[in-house]
Short mmCIF file of all heavy atoms in Angstrom, two decimals:
data_model
loop_
_atom_site.label_atom_id
_atom_site.label_comp_id
_atom_site.label_asym_id
_atom_site.label_seq_id
_atom_site.Cartn_x
_atom_site.Cartn_y
_atom_site.Cartn_z
N SER A 191 161.77 86.73 120.95
CA SER A 191 160.49 86.94 120.28
C SER A 191 159.33 86.45 121.13
O SER A 191 158.28 87.09 121.21
CB SER A 191 160.48 86.23 118.93
OG SER A 191 161.47 86.76 118.07
N LEU A 192 159.52 85.29 121.78
CA LEU A 192 158.46 84.75 122.64
C LEU A 192 158.23 85.65 123.85
O LEU A 192 157.09 85.90 124.24
CB LEU A 192 158.84 83.34 123.09
CG LEU A 192 158.83 82.26 121.99
CD1 LEU A 192 159.42 80.95 122.53
CD2 LEU A 192 157.40 82.02 121.49
N GLU A 193 159.31 86.15 124.43
CA GLU A 193 159.17 87.05 125.57
C GLU A 193 158.44 88.33 125.19
O GLU A 193 157.68 88.88 125.99
CB GLU A 193 160.55 87.37 126.15
CG GLU A 193 161.19 86.22 126.91
CD GLU A 193 162.54 86.61 127.48
OE1 GLU A 193 163.11 87.65 127.05
OE2 GLU A 193 163.05 85.88 128.38
N ALA A 194 158.67 88.80 123.97
CA ALA A 194 158.04 90.06 123.52
C ALA A 194 156.52 89.96 123.49
O ALA A 194 155.83 90.97 123.65
CB ALA A 194 158.58 90.45 122.15
N VAL A 195 156.00 88.75 123.28
CA VAL A 195 154.55 88.58 123.23
C VAL A 195 154.02 87.91 124.50
O VAL A 195 152.86 87.49 124.57
CB VAL A 195 154.12 87.77 121.99
CG1 VAL A 195 154.47 88.53 120.73
CG2 VAL A 195 154.77 86.38 121.98
N GLY A 196 154.89 87.80 125.51
CA GLY A 196 154.48 87.24 126.79
C GLY A 196 154.24 85.75 126.77
O GLY A 196 153.49 85.22 127.60
N ALA A 197 154.91 85.03 125.86
CA ALA A 197 154.70 83.59 125.75
C ALA A 197 155.87 82.84 126.36
O ALA A 197 157.03 83.26 126.25
CB ALA A 197 154.54 83.18 124.29
N ALA A 198 155.58 81.72 127.01
CA ALA A 198 156.62 80.87 127.62
C ALA A 198 156.22 79.41 127.45
O ALA A 198 155.99 78.69 128.43
CB ALA A 198 156.82 81.22 129.09
N PRO A 199 156.14 78.94 126.23
CA PRO A 199 155.64 77.58 125.98
C PRO A 199 156.66 76.49 126.31
O PRO A 199 157.87 76.74 126.40
CB PRO A 199 155.36 77.60 124.48
CG PRO A 199 156.37 78.57 123.93
CD PRO A 199 156.52 79.64 124.99
N LYS A 200 156.17 75.28 126.48
CA LYS A 200 156.99 74.08 126.49
C LYS A 200 156.85 73.43 125.12
O LYS A 200 155.74 73.14 124.69
CB LYS A 200 156.54 73.10 127.57
CG LYS A 200 156.90 73.46 128.97
CD LYS A 200 156.50 72.34 129.92
CE LYS A 200 156.83 72.68 131.37
NZ LYS A 200 156.43 71.59 132.30
N ILE A 201 157.98 73.24 124.43
CA ILE A 201 157.93 72.73 123.06
C ILE A 201 158.86 71.53 122.94
O ILE A 201 160.02 71.58 123.36
CB ILE A 201 158.35 73.80 122.04
CG1 ILE A 201 157.45 75.04 122.17
CG2 ILE A 201 158.28 73.25 120.61
CD1 ILE A 201 157.91 76.21 121.31
N THR A 202 158.34 70.46 122.37
CA THR A 202 159.17 69.30 122.06
C THR A 202 159.76 69.47 120.67
O THR A 202 159.05 69.78 119.71
CB THR A 202 158.34 68.01 122.11
OG1 THR A 202 157.78 67.85 123.42
CG2 THR A 202 159.21 66.79 121.79
N TYR A 203 161.06 69.28 120.57
CA TYR A 203 161.77 69.47 119.30
C TYR A 203 162.39 68.17 118.80
O TYR A 203 162.71 67.26 119.58
CB TYR A 203 162.90 70.50 119.46
CG TYR A 203 162.43 71.95 119.45
CD1 TYR A 203 162.15 72.61 120.64
CD2 TYR A 203 162.30 72.63 118.25
CE1 TYR A 203 161.73 73.93 120.63
CE2 TYR A 203 161.89 73.96 118.24
CZ TYR A 203 161.60 74.61 119.43
OH TYR A 203 161.20 75.93 119.41
N ARG A 204 162.59 68.10 117.48
CA ARG A 204 163.41 67.09 116.83
C ARG A 204 164.44 67.80 115.96
O ARG A 204 164.13 68.79 115.31
CB ARG A 204 162.57 66.14 115.95
CG ARG A 204 161.50 65.34 116.68
CD ARG A 204 162.07 64.40 117.74
NE ARG A 204 163.08 63.46 117.28
CZ ARG A 204 162.80 62.23 116.83
NH1 ARG A 204 161.53 61.81 116.76
NH2 ARG A 204 163.77 61.42 116.47
N ALA A 205 165.65 67.29 115.95
CA ALA A 205 166.72 67.91 115.17
C ALA A 205 166.92 67.19 113.83
O ALA A 205 166.66 65.99 113.71
CB ALA A 205 168.03 67.89 115.96
N LYS A 206 167.37 67.94 112.84
CA LYS A 206 167.85 67.39 111.58
C LYS A 206 169.21 68.00 111.28
O LYS A 206 169.46 69.18 111.59
CB LYS A 206 166.89 67.69 110.43
CG LYS A 206 165.52 67.02 110.55
CD LYS A 206 164.66 67.28 109.32
CE LYS A 206 163.29 66.63 109.48
NZ LYS A 206 162.44 66.78 108.26
N VAL A 207 170.09 67.20 110.71
CA VAL A 207 171.41 67.70 110.33
C VAL A 207 171.26 68.80 109.28
O VAL A 207 170.49 68.66 108.33
CB VAL A 207 172.29 66.57 109.78
CG1 VAL A 207 173.59 67.12 109.19
CG2 VAL A 207 172.62 65.56 110.89
N LYS A 208 171.97 69.90 109.47
CA LYS A 208 171.96 71.01 108.51
C LYS A 208 173.06 70.79 107.49
O LYS A 208 174.24 70.73 107.83
CB LYS A 208 172.16 72.35 109.22
CG LYS A 208 171.91 73.55 108.35
CD LYS A 208 172.06 74.85 109.13
CE LYS A 208 171.52 76.03 108.34
NZ LYS A 208 172.14 76.17 107.01
N LEU A 209 172.69 70.66 106.24
CA LEU A 209 173.67 70.42 105.18
C LEU A 209 174.14 71.74 104.58
O LEU A 209 173.36 72.68 104.41
CB LEU A 209 173.06 69.54 104.08
CG LEU A 209 172.70 68.11 104.50
CD1 LEU A 209 172.07 67.37 103.34
CD2 LEU A 209 173.92 67.36 105.01
N ASP A 210 175.39 71.77 104.21
CA ASP A 210 176.01 72.96 103.64
C ASP A 210 175.85 72.93 102.12
O ASP A 210 176.63 72.32 101.41
CB ASP A 210 177.49 73.00 104.02
CG ASP A 210 178.14 74.34 103.72
OD1 ASP A 210 177.41 75.33 103.52
OD2 ASP A 210 179.38 74.41 103.68
N GLY A 211 174.81 73.58 101.64
CA GLY A 211 174.54 73.64 100.21
C GLY A 211 173.85 74.93 99.88
O GLY A 211 174.20 75.99 100.40
N THR A 212 172.84 74.85 99.02
CA THR A 212 172.04 76.03 98.69
C THR A 212 170.57 75.63 98.71
O THR A 212 170.18 74.57 98.21
CB THR A 212 172.44 76.62 97.32
OG1 THR A 212 171.71 77.83 97.08
CG2 THR A 212 172.19 75.64 96.18
N ASN A 213 169.75 76.47 99.32
CA ASN A 213 168.34 76.17 99.47
C ASN A 213 167.64 76.11 98.11
O ASN A 213 167.86 76.96 97.24
CB ASN A 213 167.68 77.23 100.36
CG ASN A 213 166.22 76.93 100.66
OD1 ASN A 213 165.34 77.33 99.92
ND2 ASN A 213 165.98 76.21 101.73
N GLY A 214 166.82 75.09 97.94
CA GLY A 214 166.07 74.95 96.70
C GLY A 214 164.65 74.49 96.97
O GLY A 214 164.37 73.84 97.99
N GLY A 215 163.75 74.83 96.07
CA GLY A 215 162.36 74.41 96.20
C GLY A 215 161.79 74.03 94.85
O GLY A 215 162.16 74.58 93.82
N ILE A 216 160.89 73.05 94.88
CA ILE A 216 160.21 72.60 93.66
C ILE A 216 158.72 72.74 93.89
O ILE A 216 158.15 72.08 94.76
CB ILE A 216 160.57 71.14 93.33
CG1 ILE A 216 162.08 70.97 93.18
CG2 ILE A 216 159.87 70.71 92.04
CD1 ILE A 216 162.52 69.52 93.09
N GLN A 217 158.09 73.62 93.12
CA GLN A 217 156.64 73.80 93.22
C GLN A 217 155.95 72.92 92.18
O GLN A 217 156.35 72.89 91.01
CB GLN A 217 156.26 75.26 92.98
CG GLN A 217 156.74 76.24 94.03
CD GLN A 217 156.12 77.61 93.85
OE1 GLN A 217 154.92 77.74 93.57
NE2 GLN A 217 156.92 78.65 93.99
N ILE A 218 154.90 72.24 92.61
CA ILE A 218 154.14 71.39 91.71
C ILE A 218 152.69 71.86 91.74
O ILE A 218 152.00 71.77 92.76
CB ILE A 218 154.24 69.91 92.13
CG1 ILE A 218 155.71 69.49 92.19
CG2 ILE A 218 153.47 69.03 91.15
CD1 ILE A 218 155.95 68.20 92.92
N PHE A 219 152.22 72.39 90.61
CA PHE A 219 150.87 72.89 90.50
C PHE A 219 149.89 71.72 90.36
O PHE A 219 150.25 70.60 89.99
CB PHE A 219 150.73 73.83 89.31
CG PHE A 219 151.46 75.14 89.47
CD1 PHE A 219 152.84 75.20 89.39
CD2 PHE A 219 150.76 76.31 89.72
CE1 PHE A 219 153.53 76.41 89.53
CE2 PHE A 219 151.43 77.52 89.86
CZ PHE A 219 152.81 77.57 89.77
N THR A 220 148.62 71.99 90.65
CA THR A 220 147.61 70.93 90.59
C THR A 220 147.44 70.37 89.18
O THR A 220 146.97 69.25 89.02
CB THR A 220 146.26 71.45 91.11
OG1 THR A 220 145.87 72.61 90.36
CG2 THR A 220 146.37 71.84 92.59
N ASP A 221 147.80 71.16 88.15
CA ASP A 221 147.67 70.68 86.77
C ASP A 221 148.94 70.01 86.25
O ASP A 221 149.04 69.68 85.07
CB ASP A 221 147.27 71.83 85.83
CG ASP A 221 148.31 72.97 85.81
OD1 ASP A 221 149.37 72.85 86.46
OD2 ASP A 221 148.03 74.01 85.16
N GLY A 222 149.93 69.81 87.15
CA GLY A 222 151.15 69.12 86.77
C GLY A 222 152.30 70.01 86.33
O GLY A 222 153.40 69.52 86.07
N ARG A 223 152.06 71.33 86.23
CA ARG A 223 153.17 72.23 85.91
C ARG A 223 154.15 72.28 87.09
O ARG A 223 153.77 72.11 88.24
CB ARG A 223 152.66 73.63 85.60
CG ARG A 223 151.89 73.75 84.30
CD ARG A 223 151.39 75.18 84.09
NE ARG A 223 150.49 75.58 85.15
CZ ARG A 223 150.47 76.78 85.72
NH1 ARG A 223 151.32 77.71 85.36
NH2 ARG A 223 149.60 77.04 86.68
N VAL A 224 155.41 72.52 86.76
CA VAL A 224 156.47 72.51 87.76
C VAL A 224 157.28 73.79 87.68
O VAL A 224 157.68 74.21 86.59
CB VAL A 224 157.40 71.30 87.56
CG1 VAL A 224 158.55 71.32 88.58
CG2 VAL A 224 156.62 69.99 87.68
N ALA A 225 157.49 74.43 88.81
CA ALA A 225 158.33 75.62 88.90
C ALA A 225 159.47 75.34 89.88
O ALA A 225 159.31 74.56 90.82
CB ALA A 225 157.53 76.84 89.35
N VAL A 226 160.59 76.01 89.67
CA VAL A 226 161.79 75.78 90.47
C VAL A 226 162.21 77.11 91.10
O VAL A 226 162.13 78.16 90.46
CB VAL A 226 162.94 75.22 89.62
CG1 VAL A 226 164.06 74.68 90.52
CG2 VAL A 226 162.46 74.13 88.68
#
């Protein structure tokens, strides 16, 4: 993808262990309502 746009950056990365589960998200609205 980077080559396709002519980009060749130097990027510093940090790794995190990938856990085997299911992706989840919790949305919190400004008025305190919560969606899952």
Side-chain angles (χ1 to χ4, degrees):
S191 297
L192 291 171
E193 287 181 345
V195 296
K200 285 185 181 180
I201 303 173
T202 301
Y203 281 94
R204 299 298 305 270
K206 295 184 181 184
V207 171
K208 191 177 192 305
L209 295 178
D210 192 17
T212 184
N213 184 271
I216 303 170
Q217 294 190 42
I218 304 165
F219 291 73
T220 56
D221 60 4
R223 290 179 299 140
V224 177
V226 193

